[in-house]
Amino acid sequence: MTTRVGVVTFPGSLDDRDAQRAVRLAGAEPVSLWHRDEDLHQVDAVVLPGGFSYGDYLRCGAISRFSPVMTTIIEQAKLGMPVLGICNGFQVLCESHLLPGALTRNDSLHFVCRDQKLRIENAGTAWTRDYSAGQEIVVPLKNGEGRFVADAHVLDELEAEGRVVARYLARGNAADGYGNPNGSYRDIAGITNAAGNVVGLMPHPEHAVEPLTGPTTEGLGFFTSVLKQLVNA
């Protein structure tokens, strides 16, 4: 049976088609989910794509969190369904309290778009099992409000429980993709929940799945990982 991965489209989503293509290249069937639809159409996992849902009014992801589709996704995520939030999707997951912390304005106060070097810290989540801990990858990043913040207690808890999924590589210069692009606390680029089924990532792995269009194909592992997770579940 083919694995079905839902990709949600909110008003203002930009990268839903890219996420669908990444899902297809990974070997799963992408299923388009509309933000007003509470029915997830029997998908096995869900991707919340990047963009500017609802124009980023109030706060990024603040309105999307109340979309009918999110009511069902929150329920299913708590029951173990794998959910990946990319960029704006990460913001939605934080607003939904499926992940702790918040994403705020870049410390430079400028939108940043570049190929970004990351280090995978946790290769045990539903979305990272095709990587190895410590592996360095390059995927595109594009955000204006990508600065991950949380209080010291939450940050210490994330570190102690191994829930930091990926970090920006601080060494080297920005022109080569190094450095913290938005001022995220402790260079955090992505985190997971305690169960490892919900992951939020600020950079865009769906833009690094084909040699023709991406700087690498190193983002595909996020999408192949969830297939292996579901097959072995």
Side-chain angles (χ1 to χ4, degrees):
M1 182 179 294
T2 303
T3 300
R4 291 163 56 84
V5 178
V7 179
V8 179
T9 298
F10 299 101
S13 292
L14 296 179
D15 301 304
D16 45 346
R17 295 295 182 89
D18 302 85
Q20 290 173 22
R21 182 167 182 79
V23 167
R24 187 178 296 110
L25 288 171
E29 177 187 351
V31 178
S32 180
L33 301 175
W34 184 234
H35 69 114
R36 291 189 178 276
D37 194 353
E38 294 184 18
D39 184 359
L40 298 185
H41 303 290
Q42 299 180 313
V43 299
D44 304 294
V46 170
V47 176
L48 304 178
F52 303 91
S53 60
Y54 293 95
D56 282 348
Y57 291 115
L58 299 183
R59 295 182 308 277
C60 299
I63 298 177
S64 299
R65 177 261 179 273
F66 294 102
S67 292
V69 73
M70 285 306 301
T71 299
T72 310
I73 289 172
I74 291 169
E75 292 173 352
Q76 292 302 308
K78 290 178 178 178
L79 293 173
M81 174 180 280
V83 179
L84 173 66
I86 304 169
C87 196
N88 187 221
F90 189 2
Q91 295 161 343
V92 174
L93 290 176
C94 290
E95 290 288 340
S96 302
H97 304 297
L98 287 173
L99 293 175
L103 284 308
T104 63
R105 190 77 181 271
N106 294 350
D107 60 352
S108 67
L109 304 182
H110 291 286
F111 186 90
V112 176
C113 181
R114 72 187 199 193
D115 295 333
Q116 179 67 46
K117 293 184 182 292
L118 303 176
R119 182 174 63 247
I120 301 297
E121 302 281 23
N122 183 339
T125 78
W127 298 93
T128 56
R129 60 184 300 166
D130 259 359
Y131 297 102
S132 57
Q135 183 176 347
E136 297 181 4
I137 65 172
V138 177
V139 298
L141 173 138
K142 47 177 184 171
N143 64 70
E145 293 171 292
R147 186 187 190 206
F148 179 76
V149 299
D151 63 38
H153 172 75
V154 170
L155 292 169
D156 289 344
E157 188 176 74
L158 290 172
E159 300 279 12
E161 296 178 1
R163 291 169 53 194
V164 176
V165 169
R167 288 186 213 271
Y168 303 113
L169 287 177
R171 69 179 188 273
N173 65 62
D176 296 322
Y178 289 104
N180 185 327
N182 44 40
S184 288
Y185 288 9
R186 303 192 187 182
D187 301 323
I188 291 174
I191 60 173
T192 183
N193 66 342
N197 63 303
V198 178
V199 168
L201 185 72
M202 185 49 54
H204 288 262
E206 78 281 14
H207 294 323
V209 295
E210 292 183 290
L212 178 64
T213 57
T216 68
T217 59
E218 294 167 348
L220 190 60
F222 282 90
F223 303 95
T224 57
S225 290
V226 77
L227 267 66
K228 292 184 179 179
Q229 172 73 19
L230 292 166
V231 167
N232 295 325

